[in-house]
Amino acid sequence: MTWVTGGEGSPYGVTNLPYGVFRRGGHGPRIGVRIGDFVLDLAGAEAAGLVLAAGALGRPTLNDFMALGRPQWTAVRQRVTELLTDAAHRPAVEPLLVPLREVELMLPFEVADYVDFYSSEHHASNVGQIFRPGQPPLLPNWKHVPIGYHGRAGTVVVSGTPVIRPTGQRATAQGPTTGPSVRLDIEAEVGFVVGVPSRLGDRVAVADFADHVFGVVLVNDWSARDIQAWEYQPLGPFLGKSFATSISAWVTPLDALADAFVPAPDQDPPVQDYLRDVPHLGLDLALAVEWNGERVSEPPFATMYWTPAQQLAHLTVNGASLRTGDLYASGTVSGPERGQVGSFLELTWGGAEPVKFADGATRTFLEDGDTVTVTATAPGPDGTTIALGEVTGTVLPPR
Amino acid sequence: MTWVTGGEGSPYGVTNLPYGVFRRGGHGPRIGVRIGDFVLDLAGAEAAGLVLAAGALGRPTLNDFMALGRPQWTAVRQRVTELLTDAAHRPAVEPLLVPLREVELMLPFEVADYVDFYSSEHHASNVGQIFRPGQPPLLPNWKHVPIGYHGRAGTVVVSGTPVIRPTGQRATAQGPTTGPSVRLDIEAEVGFVVGVPSRLGDRVAVADFADHVFGVVLVNDWSARDIQAWEYQPLGPFLGKSFATSISAWVTPLDALADAFVPAPDQDPPVQDYLRDVPHLGLDLALAVEWNGERVSEPPFATMYWTPAQQLAHLTVNGASLRTGDLYASGTVSGPERGQVGSFLELTWGGAEPVKFADGATRTFLEDGDTVTVTATAPGPDGTTIALGEVTGTVLPPR
């Protein structure tokens, strides 16, 4: 039971407590934790001696705090829970609560490297059927290798940042041409944020996932399908993706997701030893995609073939080191049904089957002015539900 | 004429003056500039009021200095040239010269995003012939799009850092297996370092190259060909590259390369407007690759099809922003002859034609204990030659 007004029964109750970075008035960025429709100013709380985190909560990003490691993450979470539930702390803590409507939410951490995986079998199969009709929908490596690639860390932006339609080359029957993308799409994903680094040459075992990963963000990996299709061979997506990747302002700590781990889909053929995770667990996150305010899809994260622990083990099997702030995303989350896909490429089947909105409007890909919002919920303790914030963005024309 | 002993006639003479970061004894990292076989301590010089750079020379990396922009870069270079040529400055400056043999060279800048291009027509054609015999050696997009992809910034290491052989999946006739790479290779490249950032949504025109790019490093993009071959479809190279990318400790400023710009190869078909650079200039850098001390190749950078200005314009045509510390590399530098290739994949034609060394040893790919060193020279003023440092690494077995 929290004493914070409106906190009890909220999907941002005391069992959730996601971290973010906020700004209020003319003040610099501060770390906070969300409770109901308030942000608890953790910089202020640490300065007042109410919580101890080696000064890391006084910084302008979560990075130093995330570098401290799981014992400290858990200790701070327990202490914050005490502060928000024990009424004896109310007089000291209440002045540190800031109404959410008064703050601007910032990029919560400095992104080190950004990796994007391709872990949904349904998504990979759909893309295969759309682009290589009549051929096997999955490439031969897909069930052996958690396919991924590096994206542009410098263009990861916080939810709410406008997305400027990218310009680039696309193929036409008359040869290549350059102009604003005409097939601008989304990819609804879940991202994992690394707190504890690893040493160059070391591998991180699947079992060590929770020692390194601090928490989870929602991701929209905006994608220009026409640019991507012309550029991606043989070195993969580049400018079709690098113009913007949006993440939620709230980082949900793994500790808040203890009740969301569920058995992941069986893997057949058997995976290589370094990818074998026992138990083999995914996360039961229910995503929702809203296009101009209308819910068009509900991608179920529990259907993902490769788990976040497997992705981390794969990312480091070659000895690549991790840094605090590394972000790796799941790839588009798509379930088996058309109403469960995480991209408009799939929702409109390559643009062939437009979406019809309640007001009569239709869409294949994004038009200027369109807004897309991805949200997610997860099971919390005792039958409750927690929310994972949102990642939203509105498309603007090129400058 | 420099008054520094051994500086005159050196390939690191007063017309070169590359920047680096060094450590000496127990002291922290400091910015320095190389002259002959000495390093001029620029942190000390700025602290003593001998050179002014808004305090940026007192930092542990070049990033703040690189962010200042070309007028400041040029002013500092002119002032350092004065200090090293006017004997009147000798009494104040000489105590700031540190013998190169006494310092440890560090990663000279914090890498923001790392992009690797694929800009050598000879290299792309060779790879095409090796992997897709009987088919057109270049893919249809290659002469239209400067193909590139994002690499792992966190595993960019300074020259001299040992390279631990990566472990990963490779395909065999019996299916995939996991183990240390058996086809470990190099890619001799040239990297361009961004100093001045750009705003999200803006494009950087080809003509603005020198406003953003501070200088040049040598790059060895170590590559595990067996891992790469199995993983790279459809999203490009990932673990086959991400275990280590080595760069030279010295960043050669563009100002030192004024005499090295030469007309780049004609481009046919004509390129898209945003890639049209007049004049169309590449850099006449003569690379050399030494394998265990024996020179095995001399890749000519002047043969590169896409120029660094075109690469920068391409990288940003979609509105992707630049950050100080962004590094983009040319891709493997290969000339038309077998003795001019920048990878062992090409030198041994896919491993089919081993290299024979003077001592009777043979090699296809790298063995543990092997050392590879890439060097380069460029034309300086008045018929002189400047050197671009070196990028070297020795292969160690997996931990």
Side-chain angles (χ1 to χ4, degrees), chain A residues 313-388:
Chain A
H314 186 64
L315 183 49
T316 59
V317 66
N318 69 347
S321 46
L322 300 173
R323 289 184 294 171
T324 300
D326 279 352
L327 168 66
Y328 66 95
S330 59
T332 309
V333 183
S334 292
E337 308 296 331
R338 185 66 69 91
Q340 297 182 316
V341 296
S343 73
F344 299 154
L345 178 75
E346 294 162 271
L347 190 65
T348 66
W349 210 250
E353 303 172 15
V355 174
K356 293 186 181 61
F357 292 92
D359 67 358
T362 62
R363 285 285 188 283
T364 49
F365 292 97
L366 288 159
E367 298 191 2
D368 291 344
D370 281 2
T371 296
V372 176
T373 304
V374 179
T375 57
T377 57
D382 307 320
T384 59
T385 295
I386 67 170
L388 280 84

Side-chain angles (χ1 to χ4, degrees), chain A residues 12-95:
Chain A
Y12 298 99
V14 81
T15 59
N16 190 345
L17 300 180
Y19 291 91
V21 169
F22 69 99
R23 201 158 58 177
R24 186 198 196 188
H27 298 284
R30 296 172 89 90
I31 293 175
V33 69
R34 179 166 179 177
I35 174 75
D37 289 330
F38 293 92
V39 184
L40 172 62
D41 176 352
L42 284 183
E46 187 167 24
L50 292 167
V51 57
L52 298 174
L57 297 172
R59 310 295 242 152
T61 69
L62 286 172
N63 292 58
D64 282 0
F65 175 57
M66 297 197 305
L68 294 177
R70 183 145 299 284
Q72 292 263 35
W73 304 336
T74 300
V76 168
R77 181 173 169 83
Q78 284 172 347
R79 178 61 181 164
V80 170
T81 304
E82 274 174 29
L83 295 175
L84 296 173
T85 52
D86 185 343
H89 293 298
R90 186 166 183 167
V93 173
E94 199 155 32

Side-chain angles (χ1 to χ4, degrees), chain A residues 117 119 146 192 203-213 254 261 264 267 273-283 301 305-317 322 328 330:
Chain A
F117 282 96
S119 292
F192 295 84
R203 305 190 208 175
V204 175
V206 282
D208 295 337
F209 166 73
D211 292 340
H212 290 273
V213 170
L254 278 193
F261 281 92
Q267 294 181 314
D273 282 347
Y274 75 92
L275 295 171
R276 206 162 289 161
D277 50 351
V278 180
H280 175 56
L281 297 178
L283 279 168
F301 192 70
Y305 190 84
W306 296 105
T307 70
Q310 290 179 318
Q311 290 166 341
L312 189 67
H314 186 64
L315 183 49
T316 59
V317 66
L322 300 173
Y328 66 95
S330 59

Side-chain angles (χ1 to χ4, degrees), chain A:
Chain A
M1 283 287 281
T2 177
W3 50 259
V4 177
T5 309
E8 204 55 31
S10 161
Y12 298 99
V14 81
T15 59
N16 190 345
L17 300 180
Y19 291 91
V21 169
F22 69 99
R23 201 158 58 177
R24 186 198 196 188
H27 298 284
R30 296 172 89 90
I31 293 175
V33 69
R34 179 166 179 177
I35 174 75
D37 289 330
F38 293 92
V39 184
L40 172 62
D41 176 352
L42 284 183
E46 187 167 24
L50 292 167
V51 57
L52 298 174
L57 297 172
R59 310 295 242 152
T61 69
L62 286 172
N63 292 58
D64 282 0
F65 175 57
M66 297 197 305
L68 294 177
R70 183 145 299 284
Q72 292 263 35
W73 304 336
T74 300
V76 168
R77 181 173 169 83
Q78 284 172 347
R79 178 61 181 164
V80 170
T81 304
E82 274 174 29
L83 295 175
L84 296 173
T85 52
D86 185 343
H89 293 298
R90 186 166 183 167
V93 173
E94 199 155 32
L96 296 168
L97 290 178
V98 185
L100 196 58
R101 65 174 182 279
E102 294 181 13
V103 307
E104 177 192 2
L105 294 169
M106 324 282 293
L107 194 68
F109 59 97
E110 191 183 343
V111 181
D113 270 299
Y114 165 50
V115 164
D116 197 19
F117 282 96
Y118 191 57
S119 292
S120 160
E121 181 174 358
H122 303 294
H123 171 68
S125 297
N126 288 338
V127 170
Q129 288 173 59
I130 292 169
F131 287 125
R132 301 183 305 271
Q135 293 179 44
L138 291 180
L139 291 173
N141 57 11
W142 198 89
K143 290 209 166 179
H144 299 283
V145 178
I147 296 292
Y149 69 101
H150 285 91
R152 190 162 185 83
T155 52
V156 174
V157 297
V158 71
S159 176
T161 305
V163 172
I164 298 170
R165 181 180 298 274
T167 290
Q169 287 190 42
R170 62 177 184 273
T172 73
Q174 291 75 42
T177 187
T178 300
S181 170
V182 295
R183 287 166 72 94
L184 185 58
D185 196 0
I186 65 151
E187 295 194 337
E189 309 193 10
V190 174
F192 295 84
V193 187
V194 172
V196 173
S198 69
R199 195 171 55 134
L200 192 64
D202 283 355
R203 305 190 208 175
V204 175
V206 282
D208 295 337
F209 166 73
D211 292 340
H212 290 273
V213 170
F214 172 73
V216 170
V217 289
L218 298 179
V219 178
N220 185 346
D221 182 35
W222 305 88
S223 299
R225 300 298 176 195
D226 43 356
I227 297 172
Q228 183 183 351
W230 175 231
E231 76 179 355
Y232 87 102
Q233 285 186 321
L235 301 184
F238 183 36
L239 299 189
K241 303 276 197 171
S242 65
F243 56 95
T245 304
S246 303
I247 65 171
S248 57
W250 297 110
V251 184
T252 306
L254 278 193
D255 280 336
L257 295 169
D259 292 281
F261 281 92
V262 290
D266 286 342
Q267 294 181 314
D268 181 35
V271 299
Q272 299 285 303
D273 282 347
Y274 75 92
L275 295 171
R276 206 162 289 161
D277 50 351
V278 180
H280 175 56
L281 297 178
L283 279 168
D284 182 19
L285 311 180
L287 275 64
V289 180
E290 284 188 6
W291 192 345
N292 293 339
E294 198 159 320
R295 183 173 287 211
V296 293
S297 182
E298 297 183 340
F301 192 70
T303 62
M304 300 298 275
Y305 190 84
W306 296 105
T307 70
Q310 290 179 318
Q311 290 166 341
L312 189 67
H314 186 64
L315 183 49
T316 59
V317 66
N318 69 347
S321 46
L322 300 173
R323 289 184 294 171
T324 300
D326 279 352
L327 168 66
Y328 66 95
S330 59
T332 309
V333 183
S334 292
E337 308 296 331
R338 185 66 69 91
Q340 297 182 316
V341 296
S343 73
F344 299 154
L345 178 75
E346 294 162 271
L347 190 65
T348 66
W349 210 250
E353 303 172 15
V355 174
K356 293 186 181 61
F357 292 92
D359 67 358
T362 62
R363 285 285 188 283
T364 49
F365 292 97
L366 288 159
E367 298 191 2
D368 291 344
D370 281 2
T371 296
V372 176
T373 304
V374 179
T375 57
T377 57
D382 307 320
T384 59
T385 295
I386 67 170
L388 280 84
E390 65 171 24
V391 57
T392 189
T394 297
V395 176
L396 300 185
R399 283 205 188 102

